[in-house]
Amino acid sequence: MNRWRNIDDNLLKDAALFHGRLAPGLYLGFFMVKKARELLGSPEMIDAVSETVKCLPDSVQLTTPCTVGNGWLKVFDYGNFALTLYDKKTKEGVRIWVDLNKIPKDTLFYKWFTRLEKEKEGDEEVLLGEIKRLNVKLFSFSRVKVEIEKGKHLPLMACEKCKELFPVKNNVNGLCLSCQGKGYWKTIG
Ligand SMILES: [Zn+2]
């Protein structure tokens, strides 16, 4: 599955399995990846960034060789429905986003994208149809140079409290992030 894929029935079937259903955001992302790739040409190695945690990362993982796990896809929680594909060597690439000014105001897509209305039953089918019809007309793009430090193997240390290994850069008073009270969890029971 780790390869470039076109938007065809096989992809849509796999998408429903992988993501749970063919969500509008996921489908929209396929067209964004396609357009960005066309604009980028074909560098040997491509990296990707998704600027939202919703749907778009899965669009990238399903249609490109870039995954979160292999490190070629970075996911930032900016909340922008935008993505960048770029040449791993030169760091130059294309950032593409859904341009609010280009969305026809009389579409359900506009209401959905701007969260004007709560989704109703049957909306998704309409949305998918609109996305298929409008697709590239919804996007704007720009050429960008990406400024992300290459992932390094950071030195580790053992936390004085929980004894787990963690990156030294997170160290405060010998404690890991969780033991500093910055964790996302607390022990129960
Ligand atoms: Zn700890």
Side-chain angles (χ1 to χ4, degrees), residues 91-102:
K91 303 264 188 171
E92 290 178 7
V94 175
R95 179 176 182 269
I96 187 163
W97 66 96
V98 175
D99 188 330
L100 187 60
N101 293 318
K102 292 186 176 175

Side-chain angles (χ1 to χ4, degrees), residues 159 161-162 176 179:
C159 173
K161 192 175 168 196
C162 70
C176 73
C179 293

Side-chain angles (χ1 to χ4, degrees), residues 7-63:
I7 306 171
D8 57 22
D9 288 346
N10 275 333
L11 173 69
L12 301 187
K13 218 186 293 165
D14 289 347
L17 279 173
F18 185 72
H19 190 79
R21 68 184 210 285
L22 181 61
L26 183 69
Y27 191 47
L28 182 62
F30 292 153
F31 292 106
M32 291 171 76
V33 168
K34 181 169 180 264
K35 184 65 186 173
R37 194 183 175 209
E38 283 167 13
L39 292 164
L40 191 56
S42 32
E44 223 175 294
M45 302 284 268
I46 291 178
D47 276 353
V49 175
S50 168
E51 297 181 24
T52 174
V53 299
K54 285 186 182 167
C55 286
L56 208 43
D58 282 356
S59 309
V60 174
Q61 297 193 109
L62 277 157
T63 57

Side-chain angles (χ1 to χ4, degrees), residues 159-164 166 174-180:
C159 173
E160 288 175 16
K161 192 175 168 196
C162 70
K163 314 296 179 201
E164 288 180 30
F166 69 98
L175 301 177
C176 73
L177 280 178
S178 292
C179 293
Q180 291 166 39

Side-chain angles (χ1 to χ4, degrees), residues 58-129:
D58 282 356
S59 309
V60 174
Q61 297 193 109
L62 277 157
T63 57
T64 81
C66 310
T67 74
V68 172
N70 71 17
W72 300 0
L73 167 63
K74 297 268 185 298
V75 179
F76 297 142
D77 192 6
Y78 293 179
N80 294 34
F81 208 86
L83 68 84
T84 296
L85 295 186
Y86 64 98
D87 184 327
K88 203 186 277 284
K89 274 192 202 132
T90 66
K91 303 264 188 171
E92 290 178 7
V94 175
R95 179 176 182 269
I96 187 163
W97 66 96
V98 175
D99 188 330
L100 187 60
N101 293 318
K102 292 186 176 175
I103 308 175
K105 302 277 187 295
D106 59 349
T107 55
L108 181 63
F109 183 84
Y110 182 83
K111 289 180 184 147
W112 171 78
F113 195 74
T114 57
R115 296 188 187 154
L116 277 174
E117 269 179 32
K118 250 192 126 102
E119 261 182 70
K120 300 186 301 291
E121 182 129 351
D123 275 1
E124 280 209 356
E125 210 150 318
V126 178
L127 285 170
L128 294 174

